[in-house]
Amino acid sequence: MNERYGGIEAGGTKFNCALGDGKGRILDEETFPTTHPTETLTRAIEFFRRVEPITSMGIAAFGPLDLNPDSGRYGWITSTPKPGWAQTDLLSPFRRALHVPVVIETDVNAAAIAEGRWGAARGLATFLYLTVGTGIGGGAVIDGRPLHGLVHPEMGHIRIPHDRARDPFVGMCPFHGDCLEGLACGRAIEARWRAAPKSLPEDHPAWALEAHYLSLAVASFMATLSPQRVILGGGVMHQVHLFPRIRAGVLDLLGGYVPAGEISEAIDEYIVPPALGDQAGILGALALVSPDPPPGPR
Amino acid sequence: MNERYGGIEAGGTKFNCALGDGKGRILDEETFPTTHPTETLTRAIEFFRRVEPITSMGIAAFGPLDLNPDSGRYGWITSTPKPGWAQTDLLSPFRRALHVPVVIETDVNAAAIAEGRWGAARGLATFLYLTVGTGIGGGAVIDGRPLHGLVHPEMGHIRIPHDRARDPFVGMCPFHGDCLEGLACGRAIEARWRAAPKSLPEDHPAWALEAHYLSLAVASFMATLSPQRVILGGGVMHQVHLFPRIRAGVLDLLGGYVPAGEISEAIDEYIVPPALGDQAGILGALALVSPDPPPGPR
């Protein structure tokens, strides 16, 4: 059987369209900037018309999204501040043009699913994928399925302790000021230190502070979700020196409270980088429709 | 069919044993103090010998618990500071004495399941039950099933912002100092104000502070889990004036970010007290083995 699947990583700055074999391999791919919805979706449809036939298609999209299959707006981007994209139906144009089933998921949930299927969380049932880049987002897989709930998680927006004596920066989240994203996303680092994060050396105080905030966040996510593993991806986490700092910070914050050898004795395998790197998003889109078994038993 | 089920609410201060009809009704019940494990478990077994036959039995227990069915210590209380109870097998004594299947769950997860089956979350698939009493604990039901993950959540131990100018109290969690439980459980209120929480009038500043901390916690749990409803139970929440304050606090903290009418337009039905009151624990134990359908479709 040579099934072929379509995938779109629909991001706020670029769209990545791919043809996949359903086993984590990409056969054809095209990336272009996210402009006006009509123009962007038309260009995506053209890609899939070129590579047809496909069996089905997965979309991993920025949001917030309506993921309720019973809603009249299932598959819509809802309240994004991105100009032109609020209340945009991402799903129907592809269903109508390509006549195949289309599945949609948040970008972070899709990346989590890909890491569970083919990457750093293979074989695990319950785990967390956190991306720390321009923004901060989290995708959780619980008992093998992405967590949606009422809408879908917005993990970048939890509140964490903010010591204003140590860090007077007020935070840059337009909704919450100093929530996790407001304090620790790439744009926050840039605004606080008035320098591109990439330009800051490893011993710059920016990184000790960043590791502190991410440790607080990971410890709270662990207390809430009890994941079997925590994957930290996104551009900021390209600073690999953050990993040992965050691992140490999390152990310190937990204070020995959670009785699990997976944490206390093997933290290096518990808090890990993504195995799929920057491909987690597009592979996540493909994973949504690929026929492999779910990532793990209960 | 007149099936009869056994349930135990195994708490740190008392054991509550019950015979139930599997439909949320209690037919017989006995409560006694939690003393030494052997004495306490023997007394529980005597209750069930008296009311036999039962089809199966559920235990809703304090923890931390080993809930991994593949573990050699499935059903054990693990690292509790309660004298005599660390490394106690709660399950096998009942299996051996009563020759029935026995299921075990954390007390908060069981209470959540009961609220989903017969109470304030009937018909919902994904919701949160938070108990604020002597300690703070959270049980989450995700797609109809209790969240376990690596161990089980310990939601009382998330970190929240702590403004030491407003509240110089250092917190009383022996592991974390000023985690949520350390700042906002009943014992923390008592230690901070040197008065029994019940004795503090509604206009005492204790309650504005308590509502603030619980709002921060609920907002963070909402960002992480996206529950369809949040149930707040436990002794501290007998202060019903906390509900409107927490609802207002959560709306303020969210800042309109989560696009859901269930929150923005119906917060009174979104953050609610338990419908089963102080019976949620024992009904939770019975719900673990009662044959009703799961609380909600996906």
Side-chain angles (χ1 to χ4, degrees), chain B residues 10 15 34-41 59 61-66 72-80 82-94 104:
Chain B
F15 262 52
T34 305
T35 58
H36 184 273
T38 309
E39 184 185 24
T40 313
L41 299 183
I59 304 177
F62 71 105
L65 298 173
D66 188 332
R73 296 185 168 189
Y74 173 69
W76 290 39
I77 291 180
T78 56
S79 64
T80 179
K82 187 169 171 64
W85 285 85
Q87 308 305 332
T88 295
D89 181 354
L90 277 186
L91 203 114
S92 311
F94 295 100
I104 194 162

Side-chain angles (χ1 to χ4, degrees), chain A residues 150 154 159 176 223 226 253-254, chain B residues 150 159 176 223 226 253-254:
Chain A
L150 179 65
E154 286 287 356
R159 308 293 171 128
H176 311 122
S226 196
L253 286 165
L254 293 181
Chain B
L150 179 65
R159 307 293 171 129
H176 312 122
S226 197
L253 286 165
L254 293 181

Side-chain angles (χ1 to χ4, degrees), chain B residues 190-239:
Chain B
E190 181 148 2
R192 181 186 291 109
W193 303 102
R194 295 194 180 84
K198 276 185 202 168
S199 72
L200 300 169
E202 282 188 27
D203 60 356
H204 191 282
W207 298 121
L209 188 66
E210 181 71 8
H212 173 63
Y213 287 143
L214 295 177
S215 300
L216 284 165
V218 169
S220 280
F221 293 135
M222 287 169 68
T224 309
L225 294 165
S226 197
Q228 295 169 288
R229 188 163 295 158
V230 176
I231 303 168
L232 300 179
V236 170
M237 296 309 301
H238 290 175
Q239 304 280 335

Side-chain angles (χ1 to χ4, degrees), chain B residues 120-137:
Chain B
R122 223 176 317 185
L124 299 182
T126 297
F127 58 92
L128 170 65
Y129 175 94
L130 197 70
T131 177
V132 188
T134 316
I136 295 182

